[in-house]
Structure formats: structure tokens, C-alpha cells
Amino acid sequence: MIKKKKTRKTNKYPVCSKCKQILGSEGSVEVICGPMFSGKSSLLISRAREAFYAKQKVVAFTQKKDDRRGDDSINTFNKDQFIAVSVSNSKQILKNIPEGTSLVIIDEGNFFDMDLADVVNKIAEKGIRVIVAGLDRNFRGEGFGPMPRIKLEADKVTQLLARCAVCGNEASRTQRLKIVKGKKIPAKYSDPIVLVGEEEYEPRCRFHHEVPGKPKIKIKQKK
């Protein structure tokens, strides 16, 4: 009886000896950030559709607490939509990624918990492309939630700008306006980051961004 030699199964594509991923896989992290009304969600949906038309499996996620424009979908101010899974926390994202997924998109990353940065990196390490969109600054002009860290560790950052509602110049900040007795007044620095009540938002440039009570920058000079 002639014994057949056992042959090792070889991968169809070359694999990196260090990370064991298929060479040429799209494991990466991209951040799309900017103020409100800068087109973040529109660009995110565009990226998703590009992948979808290329016959790649795409799965989208959004935060349940952000229900301003409906549940279970990413929505834009122009009424554009992309079906998404609503989750309560970032770890639920890992449990809802189907096998064979090529692209994971996450909208309103600023509303997620701080673990989102670790979750995003873990997904990318599996050879999956990840795109996170969100505000990189809160109404105070400071880092918003997990976005600063994700932005720092991303492979690609697409920084968008809007147009200042006051002067029309490029706007990198979001102005919160509280409605008090029918009048619009700038939100104070001491106001909570997530506000429930009557408020409006608009893009502002550095010079027209108003935050009453914000600590002034002090630079100590050496004697």
C-alpha cells in the first residue's frame, strides 16, 4: 500500500509572517472629523457606498443615545440615509460584525464611551478597514469623548471645515446657542457637554466662537 504524502494547505494569498494577516488587506483606521454642518456623515455614507458598489461587505454602527434623526440608520441634514446597527456601547460593536466584513463605519464617535479607541484598533488588527466620523471638539472647543485618541492613532485623518455662520470664513468649531425667553445666547463653559433642552448649533470660526466663562490661556514667562 502506497502512503500518500500529506500536503500542507497553502493560503491563496501571501500572509505576513509577523501579523499573520493577508498581505494587501485593508486593516486600517480613518477618522472623519470637523464641526457640525461640515459634511462628516455625508462623506461617511459616500465611503460606505463606494465599498458597497465594489461588492465589499459593509456594516455601519451608530450610538443609541443620538436619536435626533431616527434610529437604526446614519442620517444627514440633507435626508440621506444608510442602514446602521444602533448600539449602547462600543463593545457591542465587536459582537455585531459579520464574518467576511471588509468595512466597518461608525458615526457620531464622540457620543461613544472611551473604550471605542481600543475597539477600533482591535477591528483594524483583524484586517478590517474602519472609518469613524464625529465631532473632534465639543461646544467648549475641547476634545470630545474618545475622538482625540482615535484621531491621534488613526492611519488617516480627514479634517473637514464648515463656514462660519457669522462671517463666512472657514469654521473649525461648533457654537452652542441656548434659547432663553426666545433669545439665543452662547452656552456657558460650565454647562454640561450633553445638554437636554432648547438649543441650537452653528459652525463658527475661531474669532466668533463664544464660550462665556472659559478659562483664559496663561503662559508663564521665565524671569
Side-chain angles (χ1 to χ4, degrees), residues 9 16-17 23 27 36 55 69 79 103 116 137 145 169 188 203 222:
K9 289 184 178 180
C16 173
S17 59
L23 296 176
M36 290 185 72
K55 297 181 180 179
R69 295 189 292 275
K79 310 291 185 183
L103 173 63
L116 182 62
R137 304 183 195 205
N169 287 327
K188 295 179 181 179
K222 292 182 179 180

Side-chain angles (χ1 to χ4, degrees), residues 59-205:
V59 60
F61 295 94
T62 188
Q63 237 288 353
K64 274 188 178 179
K65 71 171 67 172
D66 182 29
D67 58 358
R68 294 168 297 169
R69 295 189 292 275
D71 296 325
D72 300 322
S73 64
I74 295 172
N75 302 276
T76 72
F77 290 104
N78 296 324
K79 310 291 185 183
D80 200 4
Q81 290 185 329
F82 193 88
I83 295 173
V85 179
S86 294
V87 293
S88 300
N89 59 68
S90 59
K91 290 181 180 177
Q92 288 182 354
I93 293 174
L94 293 171
K95 299 176 182 178
N96 286 279
I97 300 176
E99 190 175 342
T101 297
S102 298
L103 173 63
V104 171
I105 65 171
I106 303 167
D107 196 27
E108 301 293 355
N110 47 280
F111 285 135
F112 278 87
D113 52 87
M114 300 304 286
D115 288 334
L116 182 62
D118 291 328
V119 168
V120 163
N121 284 325
K122 190 167 185 177
I123 296 170
E125 286 170 4
K126 293 180 179 179
I128 300 172
R129 185 175 160 220
V130 188
I131 307 177
V132 184
L135 296 165
D136 52 339
R137 304 183 195 205
N138 56 33
F139 79 95
R140 297 171 180 167
E142 300 171 343
F144 203 159
M147 291 300 289
R149 182 186 158 193
I150 298 172
K151 185 177 177 181
L152 179 67
E153 297 177 354
D155 300 286
K156 179 181 179 181
V157 176
T158 301
Q159 182 77 50
L160 300 178
L161 297 171
R163 286 288 166 184
C164 179
V166 177
C167 65
N169 287 327
E170 289 184 337
S172 59
R173 291 158 170 77
T174 300
Q175 179 71 54
R176 178 192 283 174
L177 297 169
K178 296 170 68 176
I179 312 299
V180 181
K181 294 181 180 180
K183 292 184 179 180
K184 298 178 183 180
I185 61 172
K188 295 179 181 179
Y189 184 83
S190 58
D191 286 342
I193 297 298
V194 179
L195 182 67
V196 178
E198 286 193 85
E199 77 276 354
E200 290 183 6
Y201 294 89
E202 60 185 33
R204 294 281 184 95
C205 67

